[in-house]
Amino acid sequence: MSLIRALSKDLEARSDDSLRALFAARPDLISPTVPDFSALAARASARVSVQRALERLNRPQMQVLETLHLCTNTDTEHSASAAGLRKMISGATLAAVERILATLQELALVHRASPPHGTPSSAARQRFYLPVGCLKDVVGLYPAGLGRSYTELVRLQPAFAQRAVQLVSELHRSGVAIHDATTPMEAALALQHWTSSPEALQEILAGAPERTTALLARFRNWAMGAVPQAQRKASITTEGSDVGPVDWLLARGLLVPLDAAHVELPHSVGVSLRGGAIINDFTLSPPIPELGRTTALLRRNAAMSAISETLRLVGELLHAVREQPLATLRSGGVGVREMRRLADELRVDQARVGLLLELCGLAGLIRLDVDSSSWVQPPQLEWLVLPRQEQWLWLVNAWLASERVPSLVGQPVNGAQGAGGHRTASGSTIVALSAEPQRPDAPVIRKRILEILHQLTTEAAAPDGTAPVLDAAAVLQRAEWAQPRMARRFSSLIRGVLAEAELLGLVGSGALSQLGSAFAEDRPDAALDILGEHLPAALNHVLLQADLTAVAPGYLAPELTEKLLVMADAEGQGPATIYRFSDNSIRRALDAGYDAAGLLDFLREHSATAVPQPLEYLVEDTASRHARLRVGAAASFIQSDDESALAELLSGPKAARLGLVRIAPTVVIATAPPREAAQVLRSLGLSPTVEGTEDPAVRLRKTPAAQESLRPVYTAPRTAPAAEDVDAQLAVLRHAAPAVGRHAHGGQAPSGDQSGEAATQLGLEALQRAIRLKQRISMNVVDSLGNANLEIVVPLSVSGGRVRVFDPAKETERVLSIHRIIDIEAAEELHQ
């Protein structure tokens, strides 16, 4: 029977509660809604859906599933029971295996099946299972880290097939207890039988050279290895005491060369090395890492300090961008020159600047202006006027929701898998605010890392209130147990995510802070309350010194920092920043609209000490020399010898919209262009003359619309569909007509028997099964005129929506489009 049909029957027999649990664990099965159980089974058997489901399994669940895969054959419907699997899983109990198989069945990754032929009646009462059909493609070439069988290697490796017969004959002639062979398949079976038990392998290895056992130990967890000139070494008969372990193993077929540089450990050899078991490291308990400890006070202080410093640096960065927008490279991102400038202005290294730029970019605090190709600060940015707690929450929400990974900035492009993977025009490293730090799975991985940190912290809780110090190795060890299929993605991001979390105060002194725990449990309001309780209040005063400096005794309020940066140059790092006054800095403040009195009043208001006399002299002296030359904007001028007429014009309300300013007794300038100014003057009864030429077009500047709040709101990645969606899907399934196909063993049902999704999957399943079994199939093929023709062929391969078949009657090969095939059956089954 088709595996999809068997799974469909299994799903249809389930209760609504069981289906709800399935949809909660695999929400993609009902997105979009499926019309019937056949379509549901087809989608549950699809490669992409199964791959997503496997990413959520922990290590013992994956080990049981891979063992089931290796102990069954979906083509011949050879199933396996929990008792049979337990024999191949060292350290497992029957109850544990049965419990895991039940879980896998609930997830629709396995389904109940009939016992294999010849099963004793006493064992036939056990529950037997088969995995979904696409599991072999999803698990990969080496399930459980074991290699392929000798028979499969002979079939797929022509060079080894040619060598296998000679190899076995040479071993047989030398007195080795192995059956002689005359064909490659006989040689494969002989090698398989020769290495089929741990005792037999130990006897073989008794005469091996030194270091052979150590070499084989490297293959315990993975079947393939790199060996230079593997094929050349395999072709040499090696005898003698000076033979190396690789040559010795290749000469006896215990390693099989794949190409010039790689070898594979065959399945039977790998199982024998593991003591006859497929899995020899089974455990239901996750590993417990050895962790250091830190005090709760140190953790909290470190987290609060990191938050205060990040908010200060973000504020200074926004000020720097507002004063001078960041130019972009032609290929995108911010170049080295701009990074150096920002590093000098912020007094930090370029690595920190890259993180801050990415953080500001993903939070929307800076945006790319397409007209100038520069990064600028959005107008009327709400973040600048928020309390510090809400500023922090803004950044954390944006970070959690963003698909960008700030820590990838500065890393080699080729080493950042999934974040670019190719060299850019700007160089071989990832630049800030470019396209390369994009990672679609970043939100899920961040959230999962926070959950693992919280789990480890809870498990290692101590009565004395100390917190465990968690490094990347400890988190990765737990991640590899909890989700082994995602281990590579975790390993590529985990160090960067921890560094970013420390920057935001979610980790302090190497331990998960209370703020991080709150976000791991999806309690952002609790995090905000904790921050409001422990984050030191921002200061609103400085200490003015006689050496023309102002010392910040702590973290200053953002508004005070913003104004100090206008009138002084910042020096140093951390909370005790020094602001140095100079001629240039005072002149900068005067250009920004301050005057001497205003500057001194501001300093007196925000200084805990009196304004030193040298600073007062500096301000007054610079102001006295300021504005002797003035630069302004004017679109037109109005000149008249009648001074009284100009005075009357300036005092009149009707000409106010012209923006008139008198710069001489007989000259007035206007912000309006000449033609517009002339029209206004004519409406007042005057007769102006327009000198020169001007574009008569009238340009109206649109009033910018009120800007909506850009404040990000983080929503944890949804792991289960909405309850109303599940209810709607259940209603569709329970009221759908029974999907009973016409063919008991065929693949694709006729039109009307199955939904389109199910029919396609059933057809592909039948084709792939026939290809593996080299089986003839009967199929109806529709030609270009819409006529259906029944054909009996042998499918050879299927890919890209096309199937290559061999027609025994015509002795020719053809390529057919799958969408033209409307019905498939195994031809052999038609005559049964």
Side-chain angles (χ1 to χ4, degrees), residues 374-534:
S374 300
W375 287 86
V376 299
Q377 177 186 303
Q380 302 176 353
L381 183 60
E382 181 187 5
W383 187 88
L384 296 171
V385 297
L386 291 176
R388 289 206 300 167
Q389 293 93 324
E390 295 189 27
Q391 287 182 336
W392 171 81
L393 185 61
W394 179 312
L395 295 177
V396 175
N397 280 336
W399 175 72
L400 287 171
S402 176
E403 294 184 352
R404 297 185 65 83
V405 182
S407 56
L408 292 179
V409 173
Q411 293 187 11
V413 175
N414 293 331
Q417 295 298 328
H422 59 276
R423 295 179 66 88
T424 62
S426 60
S428 59
T429 59
I430 297 175
V431 297
L433 301 178
S434 63
E436 278 73 22
Q438 196 78 9
R439 284 289 297 266
D441 57 350
V444 174
I445 291 181
R446 281 194 199 101
K447 184 63 166 56
R448 191 69 188 100
I449 288 176
L450 285 179
E451 291 172 347
I452 291 175
L453 287 169
H454 179 65
Q455 185 179 16
L456 291 172
T457 301
T458 303
E459 291 176 0
D464 58 359
T466 59
V469 176
L470 302 166
D471 57 7
V475 179
L476 183 59
Q477 185 184 37
R478 176 58 59 90
E480 288 175 341
W481 185 90
Q483 291 176 276
R485 295 280 297 185
M486 292 186 66
R488 293 185 65 181
R489 282 192 272 175
F490 277 113
S491 63
S492 65
L493 293 183
I494 190 165
R495 288 170 179 80
V497 169
L498 291 178
E500 295 161 13
E502 191 166 4
L503 186 75
L504 293 168
L506 302 177
V507 171
S509 190
L512 185 70
S513 66
Q514 291 179 300
L515 303 172
S517 294
F519 272 99
E521 297 176 322
D522 297 325
R523 297 185 297 114
D525 293 337
L528 202 60
D529 294 339
I530 294 170
L531 189 64
E533 179 182 353
H534 297 292

Side-chain angles (χ1 to χ4, degrees), residues 5 740-745 748-750 753-754 780 822-823 825:
R5 294 180 186 276
V740 181
R742 183 180 62 180
H743 307 292
H745 301 280
Q748 187 166 332
D753 284 353
Q754 305 287 348
N780 277 319
I822 61 173
D823 186 30
E825 281 186 280

Side-chain angles (χ1 to χ4, degrees), residues 536-606:
L539 301 178
N540 205 30
H541 68 274
V542 294
L543 305 175
L544 294 177
Q545 307 290 324
D547 61 351
L548 301 180
T549 60
V551 178
Y555 287 105
L556 302 179
E559 313 86 55
L560 178 57
T561 301
E562 177 77 16
K563 293 178 180 178
L564 282 173
L565 289 173
V566 173
M567 62 186 65
D569 297 317
E571 299 176 353
Q573 299 181 23
T577 304
I578 297 175
Y579 298 88
R580 186 171 299 279
F581 299 93
S582 64
D583 289 343
N584 290 334
S585 67
I586 297 298
R587 192 178 301 113
R588 186 170 65 232
L590 295 172
D591 290 339
Y594 286 95
D595 56 20
L599 275 172
L600 292 174
D601 289 343
F602 172 82
L603 294 174
R604 293 189 186 99
E605 179 184 355
H606 294 284

Side-chain angles (χ1 to χ4, degrees), residues 200-513:
L201 184 62
Q202 288 299 321
E203 184 177 347
I204 296 170
L205 296 177
E210 294 183 8
R211 306 187 308 279
T212 302
T213 304
L215 175 65
L216 288 175
R218 300 181 183 180
F219 290 89
R220 286 188 179 276
N221 297 319
W222 196 245
M224 190 178 71
V227 175
Q229 301 179 344
Q231 288 179 337
R232 187 186 69 82
K233 292 181 178 181
S235 64
I236 301 174
T237 302
T238 54
E239 298 293 345
S241 59
D242 58 343
V243 174
V246 174
D247 299 325
W248 192 88
L249 293 169
L250 287 169
R252 284 154 181 78
L254 301 180
L255 287 179
V256 175
L258 301 178
D259 52 37
H262 296 88
V263 296
E264 181 174 328
L265 188 78
H267 177 88
S268 57
V269 181
V271 172
S272 296
L273 280 176
R274 298 181 182 185
I278 292 175
I279 304 296
N280 57 3
D281 59 348
F282 183 85
T283 175
L284 294 174
S285 302
I288 306 298
E290 296 183 5
L291 304 173
R293 314 291 300 186
T294 187
T295 64
L297 181 62
L298 186 59
R299 176 186 61 176
R300 186 185 68 197
N301 290 345
M304 296 304 155
S305 176
I307 293 171
S308 298
E309 181 70 0
T310 297
L311 294 179
R312 181 186 71 83
L313 289 172
V314 168
E316 290 195 20
L317 176 60
L318 294 179
H319 174 80
V321 173
R322 188 163 57 253
E323 292 296 316
Q324 183 177 342
L326 296 174
T328 60
L329 301 169
R330 289 184 179 180
S331 59
V334 179
V336 176
R337 182 178 301 176
E338 291 284 38
M339 295 284 287
R340 287 175 180 169
R341 177 176 67 83
L342 285 177
D344 291 340
E345 292 190 31
L346 300 183
R347 291 93 56 207
V348 296
D349 56 36
Q350 292 187 42
R352 178 63 64 89
V353 171
L355 284 173
L356 293 172
L357 278 177
E358 282 288 333
L359 188 61
C360 291
L362 62 86
L365 305 185
I366 57 177
R367 62 176 176 82
L368 182 63
D369 180 24
V370 295
D371 295 329
S372 62
S373 295
S374 300
W375 287 86
V376 299
Q377 177 186 303
Q380 302 176 353
L381 183 60
E382 181 187 5
W383 187 88
L384 296 171
V385 297
L386 291 176
R388 289 206 300 167
Q389 293 93 324
E390 295 189 27
Q391 287 182 336
W392 171 81
L393 185 61
W394 179 312
L395 295 177
V396 175
N397 280 336
W399 175 72
L400 287 171
S402 176
E403 294 184 352
R404 297 185 65 83
V405 182
S407 56
L408 292 179
V409 173
Q411 293 187 11
V413 175
N414 293 331
Q417 295 298 328
H422 59 276
R423 295 179 66 88
T424 62
S426 60
S428 59
T429 59
I430 297 175
V431 297
L433 301 178
S434 63
E436 278 73 22
Q438 196 78 9
R439 284 289 297 266
D441 57 350
V444 174
I445 291 181
R446 281 194 199 101
K447 184 63 166 56
R448 191 69 188 100
I449 288 176
L450 285 179
E451 291 172 347
I452 291 175
L453 287 169
H454 179 65
Q455 185 179 16
L456 291 172
T457 301
T458 303
E459 291 176 0
D464 58 359
T466 59
V469 176
L470 302 166
D471 57 7
V475 179
L476 183 59
Q477 185 184 37
R478 176 58 59 90
E480 288 175 341
W481 185 90
Q483 291 176 276
R485 295 280 297 185
M486 292 186 66
R488 293 185 65 181
R489 282 192 272 175
F490 277 113
S491 63
S492 65
L493 293 183
I494 190 165
R495 288 170 179 80
V497 169
L498 291 178
E500 295 161 13
E502 191 166 4
L503 186 75
L504 293 168
L506 302 177
V507 171
S509 190
L512 185 70
S513 66

